Coordinates of all heavy atoms in Angstrom, one line a residue:
M8 N -3.5 -216.2 159.6 CA -3.5 -215.5 160.9 C -4.9 -215.0 161.3 O -5.7 -214.7 160.4 CB -2.6 -214.2 160.7 CG -1.2 -214.4 160.8 SD -0.4 -212.8 160.9 CE 1.2 -213.4 161.4
G9 N -5.1 -215.0 162.6 CA -6.4 -214.6 163.1 C -6.5 -213.1 163.1 O -5.6 -212.4 163.1
M10 N -7.8 -212.7 163.1 CA -8.0 -211.3 163.2 C -8.2 -210.8 164.7 O -8.8 -211.5 165.4 CB -9.3 -211.0 162.4 CG -9.7 -209.6 162.2 SD -11.1 -209.6 161.1 CE -11.6 -208.0 161.2
T11 N -7.5 -209.8 165.0 CA -7.6 -209.3 166.4 C -8.9 -208.5 166.5 O -9.2 -207.6 165.7 CB -6.4 -208.4 166.7 OG1 -5.2 -209.1 166.5 CG2 -6.5 -207.8 168.1
R12 N -9.7 -208.7 167.6 CA -10.9 -208.0 167.8 C -10.7 -206.9 168.9 O -10.0 -207.2 169.9 CB -12.0 -209.0 168.3 CG -12.4 -209.9 167.2 CD -13.5 -210.8 167.7 NE -14.1 -211.4 166.5 CZ -15.4 -211.5 166.4 NH1 -16.3 -211.0 167.3 NH2 -15.9 -212.1 165.3
L13 N -11.2 -205.8 168.7 CA -11.2 -204.7 169.6 C -12.5 -204.6 170.3 O -13.5 -204.4 169.6 CB -10.8 -203.4 168.9 CG -10.8 -202.1 169.7 CD1 -9.7 -202.2 170.8 CD2 -10.6 -200.9 168.8
R14 N -12.6 -204.7 171.6 CA -13.8 -204.6 172.3 C -13.9 -203.2 172.9 O -13.1 -202.8 173.7 CB -13.9 -205.7 173.4 CG -15.2 -205.7 174.2 CD -15.2 -206.8 175.2 NE -16.4 -206.6 175.9 CZ -16.6 -207.1 177.2 NH1 -15.6 -207.8 177.7 NH2 -17.7 -207.0 177.8
V15 N -14.9 -202.5 172.5 CA -15.1 -201.1 172.9 C -16.3 -201.1 173.9 O -17.4 -201.6 173.6 CB -15.4 -200.2 171.8 CG1 -15.6 -198.8 172.3 CG2 -14.2 -200.2 170.8
L16 N -16.0 -200.6 175.1 CA -17.1 -200.6 176.1 C -17.7 -199.2 176.2 O -17.0 -198.2 176.0 CB -16.5 -201.0 177.5 CG -15.9 -202.3 177.6 CD1 -15.3 -202.5 179.0 CD2 -16.9 -203.4 177.4
S17 N -18.9 -199.1 176.6 CA -19.5 -197.8 176.8 C -19.1 -197.4 178.2 O -18.5 -198.2 179.0 CB -21.1 -197.9 176.8 OG -21.5 -198.7 177.9
K18 N -19.3 -196.1 178.6 CA -18.9 -195.6 179.9 C -19.7 -196.4 181.0 O -19.1 -196.7 182.0 CB -19.3 -194.1 180.0 CG -18.7 -193.5 181.2 CD -19.0 -192.0 181.1 CE -18.4 -191.3 182.3 NZ -18.6 -189.8 182.3
E19 N -21.0 -196.7 180.7 CA -21.8 -197.5 181.7 C -21.2 -198.9 181.9 O -21.0 -199.4 183.0 CB -23.2 -197.7 181.2 CG -24.1 -196.4 181.4 CD -25.5 -196.7 181.0 OE1 -25.8 -197.8 180.6 OE2 -26.2 -195.7 180.9
Q20 N -20.8 -199.6 180.8 CA -20.2 -200.9 180.9 C -18.9 -200.9 181.6 O -18.7 -201.7 182.5 CB -20.0 -201.5 179.5 CG -21.3 -201.8 178.8 CD -21.0 -202.2 177.3 OE1 -20.2 -201.6 176.7 NE2 -21.7 -203.2 176.8
A21 N -18.1 -199.9 181.3 CA -16.8 -199.8 182.0 C -16.9 -199.6 183.5 O -16.2 -200.1 184.3 CB -16.0 -198.7 181.3
S22 N -17.9 -198.8 183.9 CA -18.1 -198.5 185.3 C -18.6 -199.7 186.1 O -18.4 -199.7 187.3 CB -19.1 -197.3 185.5 OG -20.4 -197.7 185.1
K23 N -19.1 -200.7 185.4 CA -19.6 -201.9 186.1 C -18.6 -203.0 186.2 O -18.8 -204.0 186.9 CB -20.8 -202.5 185.3 CG -22.1 -201.6 185.4 CD -23.2 -202.1 184.6 CE -24.4 -201.2 184.6 NZ -25.5 -201.7 183.8
L24 N -17.4 -202.8 185.6 CA -16.4 -203.8 185.7 C -15.8 -203.9 187.1 O -15.6 -202.9 187.7 CB -15.3 -203.5 184.6 CG -15.6 -203.7 183.2 CD1 -14.4 -203.2 182.3 CD2 -16.0 -205.1 182.8
K25 N -15.5 -205.1 187.5 CA -14.9 -205.3 188.8 C -13.4 -205.5 188.7 O -13.0 -206.4 187.9 CB -15.6 -206.5 189.5 CG -17.1 -206.3 189.8 CD -17.3 -205.4 191.0 CE -18.7 -205.3 191.3 NZ -19.1 -204.4 192.3
G26 N -12.6 -204.8 189.4 CA -11.2 -205.0 189.4 C -10.8 -206.0 190.4 O -11.6 -206.4 191.3
R27 N -9.5 -206.4 190.4 CA -9.0 -207.3 191.4 C -8.1 -206.6 192.4 O -7.3 -207.2 193.1 CB -8.3 -208.5 190.8 CG -9.2 -209.3 189.9 CD -8.5 -210.5 189.3 NE -7.3 -210.1 188.7 CZ -6.4 -210.9 188.1 NH1 -6.7 -212.1 188.0 NH2 -5.3 -210.5 187.5
T28 N -8.1 -205.3 192.5 CA -7.2 -204.5 193.3 C -7.7 -204.6 194.8 O -8.9 -204.4 195.1 CB -7.2 -203.0 192.9 OG1 -6.8 -202.9 191.6 CG2 -6.3 -202.2 193.8
D29 N -6.8 -204.9 195.7 CA -7.0 -204.9 197.1 C -6.8 -203.5 197.6 O -5.7 -203.2 198.0 CB -6.1 -206.0 197.8 CG -6.4 -206.1 199.3 OD1 -7.2 -205.3 199.8 OD2 -5.7 -207.0 199.9
W30 N -7.8 -202.7 197.6 CA -7.6 -201.3 197.9 C -7.2 -201.0 199.4 O -6.4 -200.1 199.6 CB -8.9 -200.5 197.6 CG -9.2 -200.4 196.1 CD1 -10.1 -201.2 195.4 CD2 -8.5 -199.7 195.2 NE1 -10.0 -200.9 194.1 CE2 -9.0 -199.9 193.9 CE3 -7.4 -198.8 195.3 CZ2 -8.5 -199.3 192.8 CZ3 -7.0 -198.2 194.1 CH2 -7.5 -198.4 192.9
K31 N -7.7 -201.9 200.3 CA -7.3 -201.7 201.7 C -5.8 -202.0 201.9 O -5.1 -201.2 202.6 CB -8.1 -202.6 202.6 CG -9.5 -202.2 202.7 CD -10.3 -203.1 203.6 CE -11.8 -202.7 203.7 NZ -12.6 -203.5 204.5
R32 N -5.3 -203.0 201.2 CA -3.9 -203.3 201.3 C -3.1 -202.1 200.6 O -2.0 -201.7 201.2 CB -3.6 -204.6 200.5 CG -2.1 -204.9 200.5 CD -1.9 -206.3 199.9 NE -0.5 -206.5 199.6 CZ 0.1 -206.7 198.4 NH1 -0.7 -206.7 197.4 NH2 1.4 -206.8 198.3
L33 N -3.5 -201.6 199.5 CA -2.8 -200.5 198.8 C -2.8 -199.3 199.7 O -1.8 -198.6 199.7 CB -3.5 -200.3 197.5 CG -2.9 -199.2 196.6 CD1 -1.5 -199.7 196.2 CD2 -3.7 -199.0 195.4
E34 N -3.9 -199.0 200.4 CA -3.9 -197.8 201.2 C -2.9 -197.8 202.3 O -2.5 -196.8 202.8 CB -5.3 -197.6 201.7 CG -6.3 -197.1 200.7 CD -7.8 -197.2 201.1 OE1 -8.0 -197.5 202.3 OE2 -8.6 -196.8 200.3
R35 N -2.6 -199.1 202.8 CA -1.6 -199.2 203.9 C -0.2 -199.1 203.4 O 0.7 -199.0 204.2 CB -1.8 -200.6 204.6 CG -3.1 -200.7 205.4 CD -3.2 -201.9 206.2 NE -2.9 -203.1 205.5 CZ -3.8 -204.0 205.0 NH1 -5.1 -203.7 205.2 NH2 -3.5 -205.1 204.3
M36 N 0.1 -199.2 202.1 CA 1.4 -199.2 201.5 C 1.9 -197.8 201.4 O 1.2 -196.8 201.1 CB 1.4 -199.9 200.2 CG 1.1 -201.4 200.2 SD 1.0 -202.1 198.6 CE 2.7 -202.2 198.1
T37 N 3.3 -197.6 201.5 CA 3.9 -196.3 201.3 C 4.1 -196.2 199.8 O 4.1 -197.2 199.0 CB 5.3 -196.3 202.0 OG1 6.1 -197.2 201.5 CG2 5.1 -196.5 203.5
E38 N 4.5 -195.0 199.4 CA 4.8 -194.8 197.9 C 6.0 -195.6 197.5 O 6.0 -196.2 196.4 CB 5.1 -193.3 197.7 CG 3.9 -192.4 197.7 CD 2.9 -192.7 196.6 OE1 3.3 -193.0 195.5 OE2 1.7 -192.7 196.9
A39 N 7.0 -195.8 198.4 CA 8.1 -196.6 198.0 C 7.8 -198.1 197.9 O 8.2 -198.7 196.9 CB 9.2 -196.5 199.1
E40 N 6.9 -198.6 198.7 CA 6.4 -200.0 198.6 C 5.6 -200.2 197.3 O 5.8 -201.2 196.6 CB 5.6 -200.3 199.8 CG 6.4 -200.5 201.1 CD 5.5 -200.7 202.3 OE1 4.4 -200.1 202.3 OE2 5.9 -201.4 203.2
I41 N 4.8 -199.2 197.0 CA 4.0 -199.3 195.7 C 4.9 -199.3 194.5 O 4.7 -200.1 193.6 CB 3.0 -198.1 195.7 CG1 1.9 -198.3 196.8 CG2 2.3 -198.1 194.3 CD1 1.0 -197.1 196.9
H42 N 5.9 -198.4 194.5 CA 6.9 -198.4 193.4 C 7.7 -199.7 193.3 O 7.8 -200.2 192.2 CB 7.8 -197.2 193.6 CG 8.7 -196.9 192.4 ND1 8.2 -196.4 191.2 CD2 10.0 -197.1 192.2 CE1 9.2 -196.3 190.4 NE2 10.3 -196.7 190.9
R43 N 8.1 -200.2 194.4 CA 8.9 -201.5 194.4 C 8.0 -202.6 193.8 O 8.4 -203.4 193.0 CB 9.3 -201.9 195.8 CG 10.7 -201.4 196.1 CD 11.3 -202.1 197.3 NE 10.5 -202.2 198.5 CZ 10.4 -201.2 199.3 NH1 11.1 -200.1 199.2 NH2 9.6 -201.3 200.4
A44 N 6.7 -202.6 194.2 CA 5.8 -203.6 193.7 C 5.6 -203.5 192.2 O 5.5 -204.5 191.5 CB 4.4 -203.6 194.5
A45 N 5.5 -202.3 191.8 CA 5.3 -202.0 190.3 C 6.5 -202.4 189.5 O 6.4 -203.0 188.5 CB 5.0 -200.5 190.1
L46 N 7.7 -202.2 190.1 CA 8.9 -202.6 189.4 C 9.0 -204.1 189.3 O 9.6 -204.6 188.3 CB 10.1 -202.0 190.1 CG 10.4 -200.5 190.0 CD1 11.5 -200.1 190.9 CD2 10.6 -200.1 188.5
S47 N 8.5 -204.8 190.3 CA 8.6 -206.3 190.3 C 7.6 -207.0 189.4 O 7.6 -208.2 189.2 CB 8.5 -206.8 191.7 OG 7.1 -206.7 192.1
D48 N 6.6 -206.2 188.8 CA 5.6 -206.8 187.9 C 6.1 -206.7 186.5 O 6.1 -205.7 185.9 CB 4.3 -206.0 188.1 CG 3.2 -206.6 187.3 OD1 3.4 -207.5 186.5 OD2 2.0 -206.0 187.4
P49 N 6.4 -207.9 185.9 CA 7.0 -207.9 184.6 C 5.9 -207.6 183.5 O 6.3 -207.2 182.4 CB 7.5 -209.4 184.4 CG 6.7 -210.2 185.3 CD 6.4 -209.3 186.5
D50 N 4.6 -207.7 183.8 CA 3.6 -207.5 182.9 C 3.3 -206.0 182.7 O 2.7 -205.6 181.7 CB 2.3 -208.2 183.2 CG 2.5 -209.7 183.1 OD1 3.3 -210.2 182.3 OD2 1.9 -210.4 183.9
A51 N 3.6 -205.2 183.7 CA 3.2 -203.8 183.7 C 4.2 -202.9 184.4 O 4.0 -202.4 185.5 CB 1.8 -203.6 184.3
P52 N 5.4 -202.8 183.8 CA 6.4 -201.9 184.5 C 6.0 -200.5 184.5 O 5.2 -200.1 183.6 CB 7.7 -202.1 183.6 CG 7.1 -202.5 182.3 CD 5.9 -203.3 182.6
P53 N 6.4 -199.7 185.5 CA 6.1 -198.3 185.5 C 6.6 -197.6 184.2 O 7.6 -197.9 183.7 CB 6.8 -197.7 186.7 CG 7.1 -198.9 187.5 CD 7.2 -200.1 186.6
L54 N 5.8 -196.6 183.8 CA 6.2 -195.9 182.6 C 7.2 -194.8 182.9 O 7.2 -194.2 184.0 CB 5.0 -195.2 182.0 CG 3.9 -196.2 181.5 CD1 2.7 -195.4 181.1 CD2 4.4 -197.0 180.3
T55 N 8.1 -194.5 182.0 CA 9.1 -193.5 182.2 C 8.5 -192.1 181.9 O 7.4 -192.1 181.3 CB 10.3 -193.7 181.1 OG1 9.8 -193.5 179.8 CG2 10.9 -195.0 181.3
P56 N 9.1 -191.1 182.4 CA 8.5 -189.7 182.1 C 8.3 -189.5 180.6 O 7.4 -188.9 180.2 CB 9.5 -188.8 182.7 CG 10.1 -189.6 183.8 CD 10.2 -191.0 183.3
Y57 N 9.3 -190.0 179.8 CA 9.2 -189.8 178.3 C 7.9 -190.5 177.8 O 7.2 -190.0 177.0 CB 10.4 -190.3 177.6 CG 10.3 -190.3 176.1 CD1 10.3 -189.1 175.4 CD2 10.1 -191.5 175.4 CE1 10.2 -189.1 174.0 CE2 9.9 -191.5 174.0 CZ 10.0 -190.3 173.3 OH 9.8 -190.2 172.0
Q58 N 7.7 -191.8 178.3 CA 6.6 -192.5 177.8 C 5.3 -191.8 178.2 O 4.3 -191.8 177.4 CB 6.6 -193.9 178.4 CG 7.7 -194.8 177.8 CD 7.8 -196.1 178.5 OE1 7.8 -196.1 179.8 NE2 8.0 -197.2 177.8
L59 N 5.2 -191.2 179.4 CA 4.0 -190.5 179.8 C 3.7 -189.3 178.9 O 2.6 -189.0 178.7 CB 4.2 -190.1 181.3 CG 4.2 -191.2 182.3 CD1 4.5 -190.7 183.7 CD2 2.8 -191.9 182.3
T60 N 4.8 -188.7 178.4 CA 4.5 -187.5 177.5 C 4.0 -187.9 176.2 O 3.4 -187.1 175.4 CB 5.8 -186.7 177.3 OG1 6.8 -187.5 176.6 CG2 6.4 -186.2 178.6
R61 N 4.2 -189.2 175.8 CA 3.7 -189.7 174.5 C 2.2 -190.1 174.5 O 1.6 -190.3 173.5 CB 4.5 -191.0 174.1 CG 6.0 -190.7 174.0 CD 6.4 -189.9 172.9 NE 6.0 -190.5 171.7 CZ 5.9 -189.9 170.5 NH1 6.1 -188.6 170.4 NH2 5.5 -190.5 169.4
F62 N 1.6 -190.1 175.7 CA 0.1 -190.4 175.7 C -0.7 -189.3 175.1 O -0.4 -188.1 175.1 CB -0.3 -190.5 177.2 CG -0.1 -191.9 177.8 CD1 1.0 -192.1 178.5 CD2 -1.0 -192.9 177.6 CE1 1.2 -193.4 179.1 CE2 -0.8 -194.2 178.1 CZ 0.3 -194.4 178.9
R63 N -1.8 -189.7 174.4 CA -2.7 -188.8 173.8 C -4.0 -188.9 174.4 O -4.4 -190.1 174.8 CB -2.8 -189.1 172.3 CG -1.5 -188.9 171.6 CD -1.1 -187.4 171.5 NE 0.2 -187.2 170.9 CZ 1.3 -186.9 171.6 NH1 1.3 -186.8 172.8 NH2 2.4 -186.7 170.9
P64 N -4.8 -187.9 174.5 CA -6.2 -188.0 175.1 C -7.0 -189.0 174.3 O -6.9 -189.1 173.1 CB -6.7 -186.6 174.9 CG -5.5 -185.7 174.8 CD -4.5 -186.5 174.2
F65 N -7.8 -189.7 175.0 CA -8.7 -190.8 174.4 C -9.6 -190.2 173.3 O -9.8 -190.8 172.3 CB -9.5 -191.5 175.4 CG -10.4 -192.5 174.9 CD1 -9.8 -193.7 174.4 CD2 -11.7 -192.4 174.8 CE1 -10.6 -194.7 173.9 CE2 -12.5 -193.4 174.2 CZ -11.9 -194.6 173.8
I66 N -10.0 -188.9 173.4 CA -10.9 -188.3 172.5 C -10.2 -188.3 171.1 O -10.8 -188.5 170.1 CB -11.3 -186.9 173.0 CG1 -12.7 -186.6 172.4 CG2 -10.4 -185.8 172.6 CD1 -13.8 -187.0 173.3
L67 N -8.9 -188.0 171.1 CA -8.2 -188.0 169.8 C -8.1 -189.4 169.2 O -8.2 -189.5 168.0 CB -6.8 -187.4 170.0 CG -6.7 -186.0 170.4 CD1 -5.2 -185.6 170.7 CD2 -7.3 -185.0 169.4
L68 N -7.9 -190.4 170.0 CA -7.9 -191.7 169.5 C -9.2 -192.1 168.9 O -9.3 -192.8 167.9 CB -7.5 -192.7 170.7 CG -7.4 -194.2 170.3 CD1 -6.4 -194.4 169.3 CD2 -7.1 -195.0 171.6
R69 N -10.3 -191.7 169.6 CA -11.6 -192.0 169.1 C -11.8 -191.4 167.7 O -12.4 -192.0 166.8 CB -12.7 -191.5 170.0 CG -12.8 -192.3 171.3 CD -13.9 -191.7 172.1 NE -15.2 -192.0 171.4 CZ -16.3 -192.2 172.0 NH1 -16.4 -192.1 173.3 NH2 -17.4 -192.4 171.4
K70 N -11.4 -190.2 167.5 CA -11.5 -189.5 166.2 C -10.7 -190.3 165.1 O -11.1 -190.5 164.0 CB -11.1 -188.1 166.2 CG -12.0 -187.2 166.9 CD -11.6 -185.7 167.0 CE -12.5 -184.9 167.7 NZ -12.1 -183.5 167.8
K71 N -9.5 -190.7 165.5 CA -8.6 -191.4 164.6 C -9.2 -192.7 164.2 O -9.1 -193.1 163.0 CB -7.2 -191.6 165.2 CG -6.2 -192.1 164.3 CD -4.8 -192.1 165.0 CE -3.8 -192.4 163.9 NZ -2.4 -192.3 164.5
L72 N -9.8 -193.4 165.1 CA -10.4 -194.7 164.8 C -11.9 -194.6 164.3 O -12.5 -195.6 164.0 CB -10.5 -195.6 166.1 CG -9.1 -196.0 166.6 CD1 -9.2 -196.7 168.0 CD2 -8.3 -196.9 165.6
R73 N -12.4 -193.4 164.3 CA -13.7 -193.0 163.9 C -14.8 -193.8 164.7 O -15.6 -194.5 164.1 CB -13.9 -193.3 162.4 CG -13.0 -192.4 161.6 CD -13.4 -192.5 160.1 NE -12.7 -191.6 159.3 CZ -11.6 -191.9 158.5 NH1 -11.2 -193.1 158.4 NH2 -11.0 -190.9 157.9
L74 N -14.6 -193.7 166.0 CA -15.6 -194.4 166.9 C -16.7 -193.5 167.3 O -16.5 -192.3 167.5 CB -14.9 -195.0 168.1 CG -13.8 -196.0 167.9 CD1 -13.1 -196.4 169.2 CD2 -14.4 -197.3 167.3

């Protein structure tokens, strides 16, 4: 089995990344349209309220991973 690599970016590197979001299109959409679009995306379904409560601040993750 191959080893999984974790790529950690600095804040500067992360701020330079370009996304593929069409912000103008998104601004024209209603909340209901955005929600329907999110539900139709099999790769990233919206999180449930329970899943959202399970998130931990990144700072705690950094301590756990000793980054």
